[in-house]
Amino acid sequence: MQWTKVLGLGLGAAAFLGLGIILGHFAIPKEASSPAPQDLDLQILETVMGQLNASRIRENLRELSREPHVATSPRDEDLVQLLLQRWRDPESGLDSAEASNYEVLLSFPSQEQPNLVHVVGPTGDIIYSCRQTEENLTGEQGGPDVVQPYAAYAPPGSPQGLLVYANRGSEEDFKELQTQGIKLEGTIALTRYGGVGRGAKAVNAAKHRVAAVLVYTDPADINDGLSSPSETFPNSWYLPPSGVERGSYYEYFGDPLTPYLPAIPSSFRLDLANVSGFPPIPTQPIGFQDARDLLCQVNVSVHNRLELRNSSNVLGIIRGAVEPDRYVLYGNHRDSWVHGAVDPSSGTAVLLELSRVLGTLLKKGTWRPRRSIVFASWGAEEFGLIGSTEFTEEFFNKLQERTVAYINVDISVFANATLRVQGTPPVQSVVFSATKEIRSPGPGNLSIYDNWIRYFNRSSPVYGLVPSLGSLGAGSDYAPFIHFLGISSMDLAYTYDRSKTSARIYPTYHTAFDTFDYVDKFLDPGFGSHQAVAQTAGSVILRLSDSFFLPLNVSDYSETLLSFLQAAQQDLGALLEQHSISLGPLVAAVEKFDAEAAALGERISTLQNGSPDPLQVRMLNDQLMLLERTFLNPRAFPEERYYSHVLWAPRTGSVATFPGLSNACSRARDTAPGSEAWAEVQRQISIVVMALEGAAATLRPVADL
Amino acid sequence: MQWTKVLGLGLGAAAFLGLGIILGHFAIPKEASSPAPQDLDLQILETVMGQLNASRIRENLRELSREPHVATSPRDEDLVQLLLQRWRDPESGLDSAEASNYEVLLSFPSQEQPNLVHVVGPTGDIIYSCRQTEENLTGEQGGPDVVQPYAAYAPPGSPQGLLVYANRGSEEDFKELQTQGIKLEGTIALTRYGGVGRGAKAVNAAKHRVAAVLVYTDPADINDGLSSPSETFPNSWYLPPSGVERGSYYEYFGDPLTPYLPAIPSSFRLDLANVSGFPPIPTQPIGFQDARDLLCQVNVSVHNRLELRNSSNVLGIIRGAVEPDRYVLYGNHRDSWVHGAVDPSSGTAVLLELSRVLGTLLKKGTWRPRRSIVFASWGAEEFGLIGSTEFTEEFFNKLQERTVAYINVDISVFANATLRVQGTPPVQSVVFSATKEIRSPGPGNLSIYDNWIRYFNRSSPVYGLVPSLGSLGAGSDYAPFIHFLGISSMDLAYTYDRSKTSARIYPTYHTAFDTFDYVDKFLDPGFGSHQAVAQTAGSVILRLSDSFFLPLNVSDYSETLLSFLQAAQQDLGALLEQHSISLGPLVAAVEKFDAEAAALGERISTLQNGSPDPLQVRMLNDQLMLLERTFLNPRAFPEERYYSHVLWAPRTGSVATFPGLSNACSRARDTAPGSEAWAEVQRQISIVVMALEGAAATLRPVADL
């Protein structure tokens, strides 16, 4: 070969090599070094939806509700082991699962001396005795594990007095009796469930020196008026005449001896003399059969005892693949009053099915979420949300810093008509997205969303007609998460068609008739509604744990703020003006929040249309996750234990506005201008303004400070 | 050409092209798609250290202290404009700068009726009058802008009574006088500065029905005993006989009318009748010249007036390039009592030099930090840390969520001997790293660190002999950041050789003699110490804002916890045992914290030796940044306004342990077993245990919950 040719070949090769290097470096996408960020996988979502199985939920429920399992009972502890076994299963378990326990103060009837209610004659002879337990209609209402109906935390005592019917036991009810000239001192007040909280009936009665309170379940409230044995369980879903609603009569929540401290053994415990919130007088619930038969002079013997017990929470974890320090929490309580097939086992049955399906995908190596998922089975909820509250006290900071949202499914199915959701505005959008994609269990081919909107709806200025979410009170374990920690929360369930029943709640609530057969025959035959709740919760969990951008829509808070503001202007504006109190700063703060939320929404869209790096999205997600926290102010309502959320604290005032403002106005209304009460109105407005301004500040571009 | 050759050439070229593509794709580092994460750049650090300039600091100080600039005065507002101008300079400014203001309650002497102190004879004739202002020694002590010496927030009044010397005005001092049979009612108490807080002197005096309090500066406390004009300023750094220390006599901090609310115009303001923390009786500071001459019957006329004023903060921002939502805050107050050359302008002069050097690099495009840097010039600090406190109230959540650390440089130079640092344990390591690399201004060739260790040191169980950091009280604007928000904080200054002077503080503190010449001639001729503080602060800022891994060493908290624990065991153990109170849970909690902190340290090392992605490091940095927050408990000390940090709340008990425990024991000591006070001891132990357990929980691997 000639040397010129060799050179020519060499040069040519070099040129091609160079071109190749350039092409290789610039023209081929760099998959290895910049993979697409992990995001919600629709295939996985579909798999999960398909695998959530009604029959398995039914089998879970059968096992969970086989025996009574009141908090801390041996059967409650057996269920702790069942949960641990499921969550540690090598084929369908989670990454890890642990039980932890707290030493908490519970209240139980005495085994030796049952609580008694007698009607006594003029000479003290017993004319009539109320039932000590429910009638054993299905073979499940008897036996040592069925706790006698009682009012937890009611003090012992054996007063005797004339029976006075006091309706619902509200303040107004007792005042009305007084107005009618009825002497209340030393009487036994017969009240019915509903209207005011359980404990409040005794508190109100005690103010009139009533000696004891009986609380019965009225067929009009719970059974759509039906009361005969042939019309009630086991012949229908209605409560039998002997059914008695148990319940906690404690005013607050959490362990009564350790407010704001976890009830670990070393924690300081209040002296019993310093505990507040227990009913002041003996109180006993009874069935309507007995209520109907009560006459004249009544003797009530309550022998409840306070006991320190160890109550367990069980926590199961799926570690996040990318952001393990972001937690999606899903929980329900485990303890029941008796068998608790509906309350709470219908929720726990769903919890176990969800953890099985996700655990199986995990163990197969098919899937691991972007963020961590935590499943929780809380103890001693029935006594006052004790397990969940102690947990939030123990891990306050960590949970506040890292929790994306809390999802609660307690009673998963009250009835079969429709989904019902309570939650704060940021969770609305993710629930909507989830429910639009899932078939409703009823007849027809509607989505859960389309069915839901038929029962609960509102006209949104932004979206038009949408399903309406209820707000979160303190009815289940979401309470400490939203009110004490400021974590965006929701509670999911299937529930009634209100045109078909006016029952205050499902009729066997907290009675010995809340059993598996009750659910299987009357509440959700086929378990389709249970499956629908499992699918809804499963989809919400996956969306929250897997989506690259957190699906929390903070701008949905604007509608709430605007409606609160409008209520204040319309219903309090004139009154406030008389006292020279301006709502101007509140108007400005709401507008500022609205503008900042909208601007953030636009920045999110822009980012979603680009290819943002994971750190940018993390910073944005932190803004979304932490928005709810900005509404907390531990000094806003010092007299309201745990309640720090300035938008969702309990509202006693009649105006549907910011609760602190509504309550303060209601108290100030009849006081003189310049009173302390009017100063408190001004302070409450400032607290809301500060919270809204602070919230708006966290939504601004982060580098603007 | 033959076709076989063409084919051969083509094949060869294709092969080379292919090889090139392979080489290009796999063998060349992908700079564009996975750049090394932005980290501390030592070159930039060196540049910044080199450019921080003593002469420029001197010029800053000359301008800043040219005129008196008490909070909200026209000159204070001029300085707001100066700061804005500097921070908006196109060549050396920051990304943005804004002033914001609060409407706050300040206290000033009357222009028309100066406060007076007279000695009166038996017939009411004036025998002697104290000076109304300082002697005009340098031409700068006269004029309308020099505020008359006064006790801010002391109430007006003109009592007359016998003079009683009451030493430092502590509780013990008044008790001692009482023991000696001296009738205190209706007297004027003459006290000297030091020992207890300013306001406390009046509070203590009022308990004994003293009519008014005078407070003078004793030459023994401030001048190493020297008092003649020839020995004092302008002939030395010592305070002239006519010098009077001004100061706020308010007990708390923040705007007195808006505790826990920002003092924006719309915020609710307390009625004056409901404000607590003001001195209860007329109080007036005087110079030692006057103090020496006072005799017998004294008349004090105080005409202070409370006024609502607008006080400005100025904030300047350098946006972070990678994590703009992480803030390194650096601040100082702007307002002085008179010219305030030392307090606070020596700090502001450093602040301006730092912002100039960093701003210049920024504007040139040479550098932008990884995280955001925020410079702050606070208003109305002298009246009670008002500007900084209102700022933390207004942006509570956002600052808590995002602030890496707060660095305070108030008085940057008290004297030239050594660096002095107050701070929480996590900042120790970054200050050590910075000061080891900077030359000390004094003679010799020591680093700031090596010089520092000669003056302040301790034997660390972990590191051996190291410089010792002081703890943070409430002496400057760091107080709301550490006590109210739980942000790791530090205060930097150059200070005294204690073997050379026993002055309580630099002698002209809060007097009209704190002027530029005083600094230039006596305090820091050449401004080398100012430059040293600027370099230290600059290096700390760069390390905190630029390092990929946050240089906060949380495991350094273990030593503090252990020393608190040992003090409790040694000095309280026996007493607690008598009352059946165990320290066991506290021991266990400290051990758990220590173990978790050590384990985290190991995980950091492992990660640093690998090539972690930015999200992993972000999660770790969040654990470090938020650790300090876990020690906050807003319900721990309800009577201590703003103090929520369970490790650094004010300690009044004598035992150097956890403040809540120390104080509770000190109160319980003389009460009966089972008293409320002993219950409080147990509650305080639980609060610390919960905080430490919570802290340990946040240090655990994040996916373990």
Side-chain angles (χ1 to χ4, degrees):
Chain A
M1 231 186 239
Q2 292 172 2
W3 72 269
T4 50
K5 283 199 174 167
V6 172
L7 182 64
L9 273 174
L11 283 174
F16 275 102
L17 179 65
L19 177 62
I21 290 174
I22 290 164
L23 281 176
H25 190 59
F26 291 105
I28 297 181
K30 311 295 154 73
E31 285 189 41
S33 56
S34 63
Q38 182 176 341
D39 203 345
L40 180 68
D41 183 334
L42 295 177
Q43 197 94 48
I44 290 285
L45 181 61
E46 201 182 309
T47 305
V48 169
M49 292 300 104
Q51 291 184 354
L52 289 167
N53 184 302
S55 309
R56 285 183 183 269
I57 298 175
R58 182 171 180 273
E59 287 314 305
N60 287 339
L61 184 62
R62 189 203 294 278
E63 179 60 24
L64 290 165
S65 61
R66 194 162 51 79
E67 302 286 345
H69 51 284
V70 71
T72 74
S73 64
R75 178 63 183 169
D76 185 35
E77 280 303 308
D78 288 347
L79 293 185
V80 169
Q81 295 310 315
L82 179 149
L83 282 150
L84 286 174
Q85 188 202 323
R86 297 277 184 103
W87 289 352
R88 289 172 176 168
D89 185 281
E91 266 149 42
S92 62
L94 314 177
D95 285 317
S96 66
E98 294 299 334
S100 66
N101 71 67
Y102 298 102
E103 193 179 29
V104 298
L105 188 72
L106 306 185
S107 158
F108 294 97
S110 160
Q111 296 269 7
E112 302 78 37
Q113 289 186 284
N115 296 347
L116 301 171
V117 179
H118 297 307
V119 178
V120 291
T123 55
D125 49 322
I126 294 174
I127 296 173
Y128 178 86
S129 294
C130 287
R131 301 190 60 87
Q132 290 175 29
T133 59
E134 283 133 327
E135 194 175 354
N136 194 344
L137 291 177
T138 68
E140 294 173 300
Q141 287 75 44
D145 296 336
V146 175
V147 70
Q148 193 205 356
Y150 73 116
Y153 299 110
S158 299
Q160 181 169 316
L162 283 171
L163 192 73
V164 173
Y165 178 74
N167 194 27
R168 293 189 183 277
S170 68
E171 283 192 50
E172 295 69 37
D173 290 332
F174 286 106
K175 274 191 195 138
E176 174 64 24
L177 291 171
Q178 207 173 24
T179 309
Q180 292 176 19
I182 292 165
K183 185 167 169 284
L184 290 168
E185 185 169 350
T187 61
I188 310 295
L190 176 63
T191 63
R192 61 191 171 110
Y193 270 119
V196 300
R198 295 189 192 102
K201 296 173 199 287
V203 169
N204 296 335
K207 285 179 190 155
H208 295 271
R209 315 189 72 172
V210 167
V213 171
L214 300 176
V215 189
Y216 79 101
T217 305
D218 197 294
D221 294 328
I222 202 84
N223 277 2
D224 293 320
L226 303 181
S227 61
S228 77
S230 66
E231 294 165 323
T232 57
F233 185 77
N235 301 307
S236 80
W237 84 318
Y238 290 120
L239 181 68
S242 70
V244 185
E245 180 181 326
R246 295 154 184 78
S248 174
Y249 282 62
Y250 178 47
E251 188 182 341
Y252 308 123
F253 52 86
D255 173 44
L257 295 185
T258 60
Y260 296 119
L261 291 170
I264 55 177
S266 72
S267 274
F268 167 65
R269 282 172 170 73
L270 287 172
D271 194 279
L272 260 184
N274 295 330
V275 172
S276 56
F278 289 165
I281 51 177
T283 304
Q284 177 66 18
I286 58 176
F288 59 79
Q289 180 181 43
D290 283 330
R292 200 171 41 194
D293 295 340
L294 290 181
L295 286 163
C296 305
Q297 186 86 347
V298 173
N299 182 293
V300 181
S301 296
V302 174
H303 300 289
N304 296 345
R305 290 196 292 220
L306 295 168
E307 294 180 41
L308 270 181
R309 295 281 193 99
N310 282 308
S311 170
S312 299
N313 290 336
V314 190
L315 293 168
I317 300 170
I318 298 178
R319 284 194 306 276
V322 184
E323 296 182 90
D325 68 340
R326 289 295 174 258
Y327 309 145
V328 175
L329 250 74
Y330 175 97
N332 180 29
H333 68 102
R334 186 182 58 254
D335 64 306
S336 58
W337 280 115
V338 192
H339 299 78
V342 182
D343 182 5
S345 305
S346 65
T348 311
V350 165
L351 170 77
L352 283 172
E353 176 62 358
L354 267 168
S355 64
R356 179 191 70 82
V357 170
L358 297 182
T360 304
L361 289 174
L362 184 78
K363 294 295 181 186
K364 276 190 190 151
T366 314
W367 164 85
R368 177 176 289 287
R370 180 178 179 86
R371 305 183 181 86
S372 296
I373 299 173
V374 182
F375 290 101
S377 168
W378 310 118
E381 187 264 6
E382 293 293 5
F383 289 79
L385 323 181
I386 292 181
S388 55
T389 302
E390 299 307 310
F391 175 75
T392 58
E393 288 170 342
E394 185 167 14
F395 299 107
F396 185 88
N397 278 288
K398 182 162 165 164
L399 293 171
Q400 246 194 357
E401 290 161 5
R402 302 179 189 165
T403 306
V404 167
Y406 175 70
I407 302 147
N408 197 69
V409 178
D410 182 340
I411 295 169
S412 65
V413 178
F414 290 85
N416 290 312
T418 175
L419 183 71
R420 182 232 62 195
V421 180
Q422 300 169 337
T424 62
V427 310
Q428 173 182 279
S429 59
V430 67
V431 178
F432 285 1
S433 304
T435 53
K436 282 176 181 170
E437 305 293 327
I438 306 168
R439 234 192 109 264
S440 155
N445 205 6
L446 293 177
S447 68
I448 289 182
Y449 179 94
D450 287 334
N451 181 60
W452 179 19
I453 205 171
R454 295 164 54 211
Y455 292 91
F456 297 99
N457 58 62
R458 67 184 180 96
S459 182
S460 151
V462 180
Y463 305 106
L465 196 75
V466 288
S468 60
L469 273 68
S471 58
L472 294 162
S476 187
D477 293 299
Y478 50 76
F481 291 94
I482 182 61
H483 298 301
F484 183 40
L485 270 63
I487 291 168
S488 294
S489 299
M490 70 191 90
D491 184 85
L492 308 174
Y494 243 71
T495 194
Y496 322 99
D497 178 349
R498 275 287 167 212
S499 72
K500 301 260 170 68
T501 177
S502 66
R504 193 169 50 77
I505 189 168
Y506 71 95
T508 64
Y509 173 70
H510 284 201
T511 73
F513 301 106
D514 179 353
T515 55
F516 177 75
D517 282 348
Y518 182 79
V519 177
D520 200 35
K521 284 193 190 133
F522 301 111
L523 219 67
D524 189 22
F527 281 72
S529 297
H530 281 77
Q531 183 176 292
V533 172
Q535 289 175 324
T536 304
S539 182
V540 166
I541 291 173
L542 279 179
R543 287 163 195 272
L544 286 168
S545 61
D546 260 343
S547 301
F548 186 36
F549 285 81
L550 272 186
L552 294 172
N553 191 351
V554 298
S555 68
D556 283 342
Y557 245 122
S558 289
E559 287 192 24
T560 307
L561 300 179
L562 213 61
S563 86
F564 281 4
L565 180 62
Q566 283 166 350
Q569 289 171 319
Q570 283 163 21
D571 300 336
L572 297 171
L575 179 69
L576 291 170
E577 211 168 309
Q578 282 168 28
H579 290 268
S580 308
I581 298 173
S582 165
L583 286 172
L586 197 52
V587 173
V590 169
E591 280 168 7
K592 194 187 276 183
F593 179 92
D594 187 48
E596 294 295 353
L600 178 65
E602 279 168 33
R603 291 200 302 282
I604 294 175
S605 295
T606 309
L607 216 54
Q608 280 174 327
N609 294 330
S611 51
D613 78 54
L615 210 47
Q616 278 181 288
V617 177
R618 166 92 171 191
M619 289 188 272
L620 187 102
N621 285 342
D622 278 359
Q623 289 181 278
L624 303 179
M625 175 179 80
L626 295 171
L627 185 268
E628 196 90 61
R629 259 43 121 231
T630 63
F631 296 122
L632 282 197
N633 184 333
R635 295 169 183 90
F637 318 108
E639 75 290 357
E640 295 277 7
R641 191 179 290 176
Y642 298 114
Y643 289 98
S644 303
H645 199 302
V646 304
L647 303 178
W648 305 118
R651 181 166 61 77
T652 51
S654 59
V655 179
T657 182
F658 305 95
L661 174 60
S662 183
N663 301 348
C665 281
S666 145
R667 276 181 225 120
R669 207 175 267 277
D670 301 325
T671 68
S675 68
E676 290 266 317
W678 281 109
E680 178 64 12
V681 170
Q682 293 182 290
R683 194 181 79 96
Q684 287 295 338
I685 291 174
S686 287
I687 282 170
V688 175
V689 169
M690 179 172 71
L692 298 185
E693 295 268 358
T698 68
L699 299 181
R700 280 208 289 272
V702 292
D704 287 0
L705 190 70
Chain B
M1 235 187 237
Q2 292 170 358
W3 71 267
T4 51
K5 281 198 179 172
V6 173
L7 182 68
L9 274 172
L11 284 172
F16 275 102
L17 178 66
L19 176 64
I21 290 173
I22 290 163
L23 281 176
H25 189 60
F26 291 105
I28 297 180
K30 312 292 154 75
E31 284 186 43
S33 57
S34 61
Q38 182 176 339
D39 203 346
L40 180 68
D41 182 334
L42 294 177
Q43 198 94 45
I44 291 284
L45 181 61
E46 202 182 310
T47 304
V48 170
M49 293 299 104
Q51 291 184 353
L52 290 167
N53 184 301
S55 309
R56 285 183 182 268
I57 298 175
R58 181 172 182 273
E59 288 314 307
N60 287 339
L61 184 62
R62 189 203 295 276
E63 179 60 22
L64 290 166
S65 61
R66 194 161 51 78
E67 302 287 345
H69 50 285
V70 71
T72 73
S73 64
R75 177 65 182 166
D76 185 34
E77 281 302 309
D78 288 348
L79 293 185
V80 168
Q81 296 308 317
L82 180 148
L83 281 149
L84 286 174
Q85 187 202 325
R86 296 277 184 102
W87 289 352
R88 289 171 176 170
D89 187 280
E91 265 149 41
S92 63
L94 313 178
D95 284 317
S96 66
E98 294 299 334
S100 66
N101 70 66
Y102 298 102
E103 193 181 27
V104 299
L105 188 73
L106 305 185
S107 158
F108 294 97
S110 161
Q111 295 270 9
E112 302 77 38
Q113 288 186 281
N115 297 345
L116 301 172
V117 178
H118 297 306
V119 178
V120 290
T123 57
D125 50 323
I126 295 175
I127 297 173
Y128 178 85
S129 293
C130 288
R131 303 188 58 85
Q132 289 174 30
T133 59
E134 283 132 328
E135 195 174 354
N136 194 344
L137 292 176
T138 68
E140 296 171 299
Q141 287 75 45
D145 296 337
V146 174
V147 70
Q148 191 203 359
Y150 74 114
Y153 299 110
S158 299
Q160 180 168 313
L162 283 170
L163 192 73
V164 173
Y165 177 74
N167 195 27
R168 294 189 182 276
S170 69
E171 281 192 51
E172 296 70 37
D173 289 332
F174 286 105
K175 276 192 194 136
E176 174 64 23
L177 290 171
Q178 206 174 24
T179 309
Q180 290 175 22
I182 292 165
K183 188 168 167 284
L184 291 168
E185 185 169 350
T187 61
I188 310 292
L190 177 63
T191 64
R192 60 190 172 111
Y193 271 120
V196 300
R198 296 189 191 101
K201 296 173 199 288
V203 170
N204 297 336
K207 284 181 191 154
H208 295 271
R209 314 190 72 172
V210 166
V213 172
L214 300 175
V215 190
Y216 78 102
T217 304
D218 198 292
D221 294 328
I222 202 83
N223 276 2
D224 293 321
L226 304 180
S227 61
S228 78
S230 65
E231 295 166 322
T232 56
F233 184 77
N235 301 305
S236 80
W237 84 320
Y238 290 120
L239 181 69
S242 71
V244 185
E245 179 181 326
R246 294 152 185 80
S248 174
Y249 281 61
Y250 179 47
E251 187 181 341
Y252 308 123
F253 51 85
D255 173 44
L257 294 185
T258 60
Y260 296 120
L261 291 170
I264 54 177
S266 73
S267 274
F268 167 65
R269 283 172 169 74
L270 287 173
D271 194 279
L272 260 183
N274 295 330
V275 172
S276 55
F278 289 164
I281 51 178
T283 304
Q284 177 67 16
I286 58 176
F288 59 79
Q289 179 181 42
D290 283 329
R292 200 172 40 197
D293 294 341
L294 289 182
L295 284 164
C296 306
Q297 186 88 344
V298 173
N299 182 294
V300 181
S301 294
V302 174
H303 301 287
N304 297 344
R305 290 196 293 219
L306 295 167
E307 294 181 40
L308 269 182
R309 295 281 193 99
N310 282 309
S311 170
S312 299
N313 290 335
V314 190
L315 292 168
I317 300 171
I318 297 178
R319 282 196 305 276
V322 185
E323 298 182 88
D325 68 339
R326 290 295 174 258
Y327 309 144
V328 175
L329 249 74
Y330 175 98
N332 180 28
H333 68 102
R334 184 184 60 255
D335 64 305
S336 59
W337 281 116
V338 193
H339 299 78
V342 180
D343 181 4
S345 305
S346 65
T348 311
V350 164
L351 170 77
L352 283 172
E353 175 62 358
L354 266 167
S355 63
R356 179 192 69 82
V357 169
L358 296 182
T360 305
L361 289 174
L362 185 76
K363 294 294 182 188
K364 275 189 190 152
T366 313
W367 164 85
R368 176 175 290 286
R370 180 178 180 86
R371 305 183 181 87
S372 296
I373 299 174
V374 181
F375 290 101
S377 168
W378 310 118
E381 188 264 6
E382 293 294 4
F383 288 78
L385 323 181
I386 292 181
S388 55
T389 300
E390 300 306 311
F391 176 75
T392 59
E393 288 170 341
E394 186 167 13
F395 299 107
F396 185 88
N397 278 288
K398 184 164 166 163
L399 294 171
Q400 247 195 355
E401 290 162 6
R402 303 179 188 164
T403 307
V404 167
Y406 175 69
I407 303 148
N408 197 68
V409 177
D410 181 340
I411 295 168
S412 66
V413 178
F414 290 86
N416 290 312
T418 174
L419 184 70
R420 182 233 62 191
V421 180
Q422 299 168 338
T424 62
V427 310
Q428 173 182 278
S429 58
V430 67
V431 177
F432 285 1
S433 304
T435 53
K436 281 176 181 170
E437 304 293 327
I438 307 168
R439 235 191 108 265
S440 158
N445 203 6
L446 292 178
S447 68
I448 289 183
Y449 180 94
D450 287 335
N451 181 61
W452 180 18
I453 205 170
R454 291 165 56 213
Y455 292 92
F456 296 99
N457 58 60
R458 67 185 178 95
S459 181
S460 151
V462 179
Y463 305 105
L465 196 74
V466 287
S468 60
L469 274 68
S471 57
L472 294 163
S476 187
D477 294 299
Y478 50 75
F481 291 94
I482 182 62
H483 298 301
F484 184 40
L485 270 62
I487 290 167
S488 293
S489 299
M490 70 191 91
D491 184 85
L492 308 174
Y494 244 70
T495 194
Y496 321 100
D497 177 350
R498 276 286 167 211
S499 72
K500 301 258 170 67
T501 176
S502 67
R504 192 169 51 77
I505 189 168
Y506 72 95
T508 63
Y509 173 70
H510 284 199
T511 74
F513 302 106
D514 179 353
T515 55
F516 177 76
D517 281 349
Y518 182 79
V519 177
D520 200 36
K521 284 195 189 128
F522 300 111
L523 219 67
D524 188 23
F527 281 71
S529 296
H530 281 76
Q531 182 176 290
V533 172
Q535 289 175 324
T536 302
S539 181
V540 166
I541 291 173
L542 280 179
R543 287 163 195 272
L544 286 168
S545 62
D546 261 343
S547 301
F548 187 36
F549 286 82
L550 272 186
L552 294 172
N553 191 351
V554 297
S555 68
D556 283 341
Y557 244 122
S558 290
E559 286 191 25
T560 307
L561 299 179
L562 213 62
S563 88
F564 281 4
L565 179 63
Q566 282 165 351
Q569 288 170 319
Q570 283 162 24
D571 300 336
L572 297 171
L575 179 69
L576 291 170
E577 211 168 310
Q578 283 168 27
H579 291 267
S580 308
I581 298 173
S582 166
L583 286 173
L586 197 52
V587 173
V590 170
E591 279 168 7
K592 193 186 277 186
F593 179 92
D594 187 49
E596 294 295 351
L600 177 65
E602 279 169 34
R603 290 199 303 280
I604 295 175
S605 297
T606 308
L607 215 54
Q608 280 173 328
N609 293 332
S611 51
D613 77 56
L615 210 47
Q616 278 181 289
V617 177
R618 165 90 172 194
M619 288 187 272
L620 187 102
N621 285 342
D622 278 359
Q623 289 181 278
L624 303 178
M625 174 179 82
L626 295 171
L627 186 267
E628 196 89 62
R629 256 48 118 230
T630 64
F631 296 123
L632 282 197
N633 183 335
R635 295 168 182 92
F637 318 109
E639 75 291 358
E640 296 277 6
R641 193 179 288 176
Y642 298 114
Y643 288 99
S644 302
H645 199 301
V646 304
L647 302 178
W648 305 117
R651 182 166 62 75
T652 50
S654 58
V655 179
T657 182
F658 304 94
L661 174 60
S662 182
N663 300 350
C665 281
S666 145
R667 276 180 225 122
R669 208 176 267 278
D670 301 324
T671 69
S675 68
E676 290 266 319
W678 281 109
E680 179 64 11
V681 170
Q682 294 184 287
R683 194 181 79 97
Q684 287 296 337
I685 291 175
S686 287
I687 282 170
V688 175
V689 168
M690 179 171 71
L692 298 184
E693 296 268 357
T698 68
L699 299 180
R700 280 208 288 275
V702 292
D704 288 359
L705 190 71

